[in-house]
Amino acid sequence: MNLRKYILFLILIISGSLSTSLAQSSFEPFIINTLPMLSSIEAEGWKIVEVKMGYTRGKVSISKTLKEGKTYGFYASGNRKIADIQASIYHIKEDKAKLFKKEEESGKDATIIFEVKKTGVYRFYIDVVSFSSENRFGLYNMIFFSK
């Protein structure tokens, strides 16, 4: 499925499955604003592996098994309710997490490109450093891509 059909599919799923107008008005613009980043990633020769979106009150984590010798990318961002995020990746080995890579600058979005030297489980984190104004939650997206 190409990228544009995938995004249209996401919009249709969200529009059809969420009956409240708040959810529709919150997610749809956020998905549409993500399109340029997805197009940019693909234009640079990367393959989109997975896109995750949802609500957060501060921290989100997702674990993935990655293969040795491959180059991966991880992009994370928040909607207008999130002022500042940080992204990090941990390698999970024998039920212990060891910091693998962390974005040095916090901001509205984060990108980490890395090569996996050993096949294993890696956990991806988004930490909301601050919310905009009086907000206590926001929408996030995580885009995983590889070469």
Side-chain angles (χ1 to χ4, degrees), residues 74-116:
F74 168 50
Y75 172 81
S77 68
N79 70 344
R80 60 181 168 74
K81 293 182 178 185
I82 296 176
D84 197 9
I85 65 169
Q86 287 185 329
S88 57
I89 304 169
Y90 285 78
H91 185 209
I92 310 301
K93 190 174 183 181
E94 298 173 8
D95 293 330
K96 293 183 182 180
K98 180 180 177 186
L99 181 63
F100 176 71
K101 191 129 180 166
K102 181 176 182 177
E103 188 187 50
E104 298 303 319
E105 298 176 18
S106 61
K108 195 92 169 124
D109 61 358
T111 304
I112 302 174
I113 306 293
F114 59 99
E115 185 176 337
V116 173

Side-chain angles (χ1 to χ4, degrees), residues 38 41 46-52 61-64 66 72-76 89 114 122-126 140-146:
L38 292 167
I41 290 168
W46 294 92
K47 177 184 174 195
I48 304 291
V49 175
E50 188 173 0
V51 178
K52 294 276 188 186
S61 70
I62 295 174
S63 296
K64 302 186 89 33
L66 304 179
Y72 292 91
F74 168 50
Y75 172 81
I89 304 169
F114 59 99
Y122 293 79
R123 188 165 296 138
F124 298 82
Y125 285 96
I126 298 176
Y140 73 89
N141 73 22
M142 299 171 120
I143 303 171
F144 302 94
F145 46 101
S146 67

